[in-house]
Amino acid sequence: MLVGERRELLLARLAAEGKVLAKDVAAELGVSEDSIRRDLRDLAAAGLCQRVYGGALPVSPAVADYASRTAIAKDGKDRVAKAAAALVRPGSTVILDGGTTTLAVAKALPEDLEATVVTHSPTVAVALLDHHGVEVFLLGGRLFRHSAVTCGAAAAEAAQSISADVFLLGVTGVHPEAGLTTGDADEAAMKRTLARRAADTYVLASAEKLGAASRFTVLPFGDVAGIVTDADDQNVQELAERGVAILPA
C-alpha cells in the first residue's frame, strides 16, 4: 500500500470509528508502528487529526479562526445556548467564557434578567449592552484573538477577586478518553482559573465537539457539574456511564 493510500485509510478509519490505534493498524497492514506514527504525525501537522498516546483522535472543528467558527453548527450552538441560559438564575453571578457558543448564551439571556456577568470576552460584554439589568464586569489582559478573550497574568490576577455561582465553560473538544480540551495552553490555564472561582462549572458543547480532541487539557470531568449538549451519540452514552451529568439541549 502506498503512503498516500495508507493515510487515506487512516482518515477513513478515524471518521468511521472516532479513533485510530497505531498498533492495531500496523498489525492489520503489516507495517511497522513507526510508519503509522509518522503518518499520524504528518496528518496532525496538516490539521487532519489530533495525536494522542498510542494513536489519534478526530480534530475539533472549533480550532478554526473566530470568524469561521461563527458559521459552524449554528443551530446546535443556539440550542445549547438556550439550555445554558436557563442555568443563570435571577440575582446570581455567572462567569461567561469566550467563544461563539457563550456569545450565543449572552444573546439568549432574557432581556429583563437581573444578574451579574463576569467575562474575559469583549464580544460577550458588548452583546449584553441591551440587558440593562445585567451588571457586566470585563476582565482585562492580553487579547487572545482566536477566541476573542483576554488571558495571561493580568487576566488571571483580575479573576482572583471573583466569587461566582456558575461558570459556563467553552471547550473545543469533549472526548470520553481525552477529556475536556482546547487548542491553546494559556487559554486552557485561564479556563481553569475561572473554574476555580465558581461554585459550579458547566461545559457547553454542541454536537461537533463530542468525540473530538485538541492539544491541551482544560479540566477533568470530575471538576464539572455537567455538560450541556445537543449530541445524542456513543460519546454521550460513554460519558454518562462514567458518571458525567448530561444536560440535553
Side-chain angles (χ1 to χ4, degrees):
M1 181 178 287
L2 298 175
V3 173
E5 294 175 320
R6 196 168 65 221
R7 293 179 181 178
E8 287 181 6
L9 183 147
L10 289 170
L11 290 175
R13 184 71 55 84
L14 195 63
E17 301 181 5
K19 65 180 178 180
V20 166
L21 297 178
K23 181 179 180 181
D24 291 352
V25 176
E28 177 185 333
L29 300 182
V31 299
S32 69
E33 283 189 55
D34 284 342
S35 295
I36 300 301
R37 283 196 289 267
R38 281 195 298 272
D39 291 340
L40 294 176
R41 184 166 57 246
D42 290 343
L43 290 172
L48 298 175
C49 71
Q50 176 60 50
R51 292 180 69 208
V52 296
Y53 181 78
L57 297 173
V59 68
S60 171
V63 297
D65 62 86
Y66 190 89
S68 298
R69 296 202 315 276
T70 59
I72 296 175
K74 187 178 184 304
D75 291 343
K77 289 176 182 177
D78 287 343
R79 288 191 292 270
V80 170
K82 183 178 179 180
L87 297 170
V88 181
R89 305 301 184 190
S92 66
T93 297
V94 58
I95 302 172
L96 282 185
D97 201 357
T100 54
T101 306
T102 46
L103 178 60
V105 173
K107 295 176 179 179
L109 293 174
E111 290 190 2
D112 61 350
L113 175 69
E114 293 188 0
T116 299
V117 171
V118 180
T119 184
H120 62 318
S121 168
T123 55
V124 168
V126 170
L128 292 169
L129 285 176
D130 292 333
H131 290 70
H132 300 293
V134 175
E135 189 169 14
V136 180
F137 287 86
L138 179 61
L139 304 179
R142 179 178 62 84
L143 184 65
F144 178 53
R145 287 180 171 81
H146 177 268
S147 297
V149 295
T150 59
C151 58
E157 183 177 356
Q160 299 308 312
S161 61
I162 300 166
S163 291
D165 299 291
V166 174
F167 173 35
L168 300 182
L169 165 67
V171 295
T172 58
V174 179
H175 192 281
E177 296 175 16
L180 303 168
T181 56
T182 196
D184 180 82
D186 287 342
E187 189 179 19
M190 187 63 190
K191 292 175 186 293
R192 287 191 293 273
T193 296
L194 293 173
R196 287 193 291 267
R197 308 311 305 171
D200 291 310
T201 294
Y202 290 92
V203 180
L204 312 183
S206 44
E208 82 282 358
K209 296 176 183 177
L210 271 293
S214 295
R215 289 189 296 168
F216 299 100
T217 299
V218 178
L219 289 171
F221 289 117
D223 284 0
V224 302
I227 298 175
V228 185
T229 182
D230 63 325
D232 183 16
D233 59 12
Q234 181 64 31
N235 293 293
V236 173
Q237 182 178 335
E238 287 187 34
L239 290 169
E241 291 172 352
R242 290 169 181 249
V244 180
I246 303 297
L247 286 69

